[in-house]
Amino acid sequence: MEKYDIPYNKCPICQSNNVVPYHEDFCDNKIFRCADCTVQFMNPVYSDSYLSQYYAEYYTGDTSPEDAAAGHRRTNRIIFNTIEKY
């Protein structure tokens, strides 16, 4: 399984050849910027097979609606208590 697709040679939005390296994200993925339309994009992008595997191991939604609601109430209580202090 390849982690990345083939890198773009052109901007994925406007098809300009005027793309330049811009910066790297926290995972060291290279971010490019189109000098013509100014869009920023990861280059190369993750492959479909990599993303399928990644999300298959991601959160499965096993939390019941009741547990999720209780978590939201606890979080809101903390926030409101902090607000009331000030």
Side-chain angles (χ1 to χ4, degrees):
M1 170 190 61
E2 294 293 322
K3 185 172 181 178
Y4 298 102
D5 283 342
I6 297 169
Y8 291 116
N9 293 323
K10 296 180 177 184
C11 172
I13 302 300
C14 73
Q15 299 301 306
S16 168
N17 290 320
N18 200 5
V19 293
V20 293
Y22 191 61
H23 62 88
E24 293 183 3
D25 68 9
F26 66 96
C27 294
D28 295 326
N29 292 309
K30 292 175 181 29
I31 307 299
F32 280 63
R33 182 176 186 270
C34 176
D36 292 334
C37 74
T38 71
V39 71
Q40 296 175 30
F41 56 95
M42 186 174 132
N43 192 21
V45 297
Y46 291 123
S47 68
D48 287 344
S49 59
Y50 174 79
L51 290 174
S52 294
Q53 180 182 352
Y54 178 83
Y55 285 112
E57 298 169 4
Y58 204 65
Y59 172 71
T60 60
D62 291 338
T63 302
S64 71
E66 294 81 17
D67 288 343
H72 288 298
R73 283 191 297 276
R74 280 192 301 273
T75 301
N76 289 341
R77 191 170 25 253
I78 292 167
I79 292 169
F80 290 138
N81 287 341
T82 303
I83 292 170
E84 285 177 349
K85 286 181 184 179
Y86 300 101

